Amino acid sequence: MGNPPATDPPEFLFATCQVGAERALKSEIARLWPVFHFAFSRPGFLTFKLPGGHDLPEGFDLHSVFARAYGFSLGNATTATSDERAALVWRIVGDRPYEALHVWQRDMAPCGFRGFEPHVTPAAVEAEAAIREHRPEAFAAAPLARIAQPGQRVLDCVLVEPHQWWIGTHRAANGESCFPGGLREMVLPPEAVSRAYLKMEEALAWSGFPIAAGQRAVEIGCAPGGASQALLAHNLRVIGIDPAQVDPRVLAHPRFKHVQKRGADVPRRAFSHVTWLAADMNVAPQTTLDTVEAIVTHPEVNIRGLLLTLKLLDWELADHIPEYLQRIRGWGYAHVRAKQLAHNRQDICVAARRRKPRAGVAREPGTS
C-alpha cells in the first residue's frame, strides 16, 4: 500500500535518532512542541501528528538534541519489491520539484553495539539507485544531488523495514541536514588509536569552531588519545589530561603533551594560554561540569570555546539538558548548543563559544 500525492500541508513529522534515544526524543518534543502528538515508532524512527492548519516552513528548526534527521512525512511505500517501492515513491511525491535525494536506513542497533556505527548501508545505496532509476522523465533532466547545498529542497527516503520505505521532505539548512540521515561521511584513519577520533572530527565539523593552526587545545579525559589525534591533525598544540596511560604513538607527537593527572588537580596556570577545551570523561554530567567550571571561570583563564561530552549514564538525565546548557551560559558562553551526534553513544556533545574574549585576561599570542 502507499499514499496518494498530497496537496495540503503535510500532516506528520518524521525523525530519526539513535536506537535507545526514542524516549528522550519524545520527551523533548513534548516539551518544545506540545502541539505535536506522537504517532508511530520503530527503534530509531518516530513520527508525530502536526496540528491542523500549521504554517511551518520546510526549513523550520526543530531545536532537537536527539533528532539526527527530520522533516515532513509524505507517506510510506510498502510493497513487495524494490522496484515497486521506487515507483511508488514518485507517485507519493507527485509534481513537487526536488534538488537532492537522501536515502538511508534507520539504525538497526545502538551505537557501539557489536561494533555498530551509523552509516549509509548497502541496502540504502540499492534503494537510492532504484529510486533514481524510476525517476519520472519529466524530472530526469534536473540534477538530483546526494549531498544537499543549504537552501535546497530534499526528498527523504528512510528504510524503516526492508519492505517499507517512509518518504519525507526537508529544506537543507547547513551541516548535518545536508547529508543523508544527518550522517557525515567519515572514515576512521588506520593510525587512529580509538574511535574517539571520529567523535572529535564530527564534533569539530558540527560546531563550526574557527580553529587555527598553532592554537592551544586541552582535552580532559584524553586516554588513550584518539580525540587528541584528531586535534593534532588540525595542527593544534594539544595538552592531554588523564591519569590513565596514553598510546605511545600519541605521546611521540611533537605537539602533544600529556599531563597525567585528573582535570581537577591541574594548576590553573596550565590553561592560561589555551583557546579550546574538550572534555570526555566517563562520569556524570554534573561532575564534568564541575571540573570545567572551575577551570573556565578562573580569572587567569580565557578559553574561547568548549566541546564537552556529557555522559547520560541514565536516559532520565536527558530531561536535565536545558539545566546543563543554562549553567554553561552562566560561565559567559553566549552561544551554547547540544546534539547527540552520530558517533556519540549514550551521551551528547555540547558546543559553547564566547561572543568575545573576557576583558582583562591574557590571550594566546596570535588569537583574536
Side-chain angles (χ1 to χ4, degrees), residues 18 21 65-66 315 338-342 344-349:
Q18 182 184 116
V65 173
F66 294 99
W315 278 111
K339 194 76 175 176
Q340 186 174 46
L341 300 174
N344 284 127
R345 293 189 176 176
Q346 194 167 321
D347 46 37
I348 62 170
C349 181

Side-chain angles (χ1 to χ4, degrees), residues 35 46 72 88 116 119 141 144 164 186 215 267 306 325 327:
V35 294
L46 301 90
F72 292 119
L88 188 50
F116 174 78
H119 63 288
L144 200 58
Q164 185 181 71
M186 293 184 170
Q215 291 177 329
L306 311 173
L325 303 188
R327 179 177 177 183

Side-chain angles (χ1 to χ4, degrees), residues 306-320:
L306 311 173
L307 282 175
L308 310 180
T309 298
L310 299 184
K311 306 289 186 180
L312 304 179
L313 305 178
D314 187 307
W315 278 111
E316 292 186 0
L317 290 172
D319 295 333
H320 297 280

Side-chain angles (χ1 to χ4, degrees), residues 39-203:
F40 171 86
S41 75
R42 290 292 183 270
F45 178 85
L46 301 90
T47 67
F48 299 85
K49 180 75 164 60
L50 299 173
H54 72 82
D55 58 356
L56 293 169
E58 287 181 320
F60 85 98
D61 190 343
L62 193 61
H63 299 289
S64 173
V65 173
F66 294 99
R68 190 184 300 153
Y70 63 90
F72 292 119
S73 176
L74 304 178
N76 66 81
T78 306
T79 61
T81 71
S82 176
D83 284 338
E84 290 173 345
R85 290 190 291 277
L88 188 50
V89 166
W90 293 108
R91 283 183 52 200
I92 292 171
V93 168
D95 59 359
R96 298 181 185 86
Y98 290 93
E99 297 157 298
L101 172 64
H102 287 177
V103 183
W104 72 100
Q105 188 172 18
R106 68 177 174 90
D107 288 4
M108 303 309 293
C111 186
F113 179 75
R114 295 182 178 175
F116 174 78
E117 298 282 354
H119 63 288
V120 176
T121 62
V125 173
E126 292 177 9
E128 179 182 346
I131 292 170
R132 290 182 180 274
E133 182 180 348
H134 286 81
R135 193 178 181 194
E137 193 171 321
F139 297 126
L144 200 58
R146 185 169 182 274
I147 298 177
Q149 297 299 312
Q152 288 186 329
R153 177 181 286 169
V154 182
L155 172 60
D156 295 304
C157 178
V158 188
L159 280 61
V160 176
E161 303 291 352
H163 63 284
Q164 185 181 71
W165 301 350
W166 284 73
I167 314 306
T169 182
H170 76 276
R171 183 78 68 172
N174 50 48
E176 281 63 34
S177 69
C178 295
F179 296 86
L183 300 169
R184 291 181 181 270
E185 297 177 341
M186 293 184 170
V187 178
L188 188 67
E191 68 275 12
V193 300
S194 72
R195 66 180 296 278
Y197 189 108
L198 286 178
K199 288 179 64 176
M200 179 57 71
E201 277 294 302
E202 187 178 18

Side-chain angles (χ1 to χ4, degrees), residues 218-223 239-245 258-268 270-271 277-283 286-288 290-292 294-295:
V218 65
E219 185 196 1
I220 303 174
C222 68
I239 301 170
I241 299 173
D242 201 309
Q245 295 292 325
H258 182 206
V259 177
Q260 200 165 5
K261 296 181 179 181
R262 297 186 309 121
D265 297 333
V266 178
R268 297 299 172 256
F271 303 94
L277 182 148
D280 188 352
M281 299 180 284
N282 193 27
V283 295
Q286 291 286 6
T287 303
T288 295
D290 289 345
T291 299
V292 175
I295 295 168

Side-chain angles (χ1 to χ4, degrees), residues 327-360:
R327 179 177 177 183
I328 295 169
R329 293 186 186 98
W331 305 341
Y333 292 88
H335 304 285
V336 181
R337 56 198 179 110
K339 194 76 175 176
Q340 186 174 46
L341 300 174
H343 292 98
N344 284 127
R345 293 189 176 176
Q346 194 167 321
D347 46 37
I348 62 170
C349 181
V350 177
R353 184 179 168 194
R354 293 190 193 278
R355 181 175 286 117
K356 57 183 179 180
R358 295 172 66 192

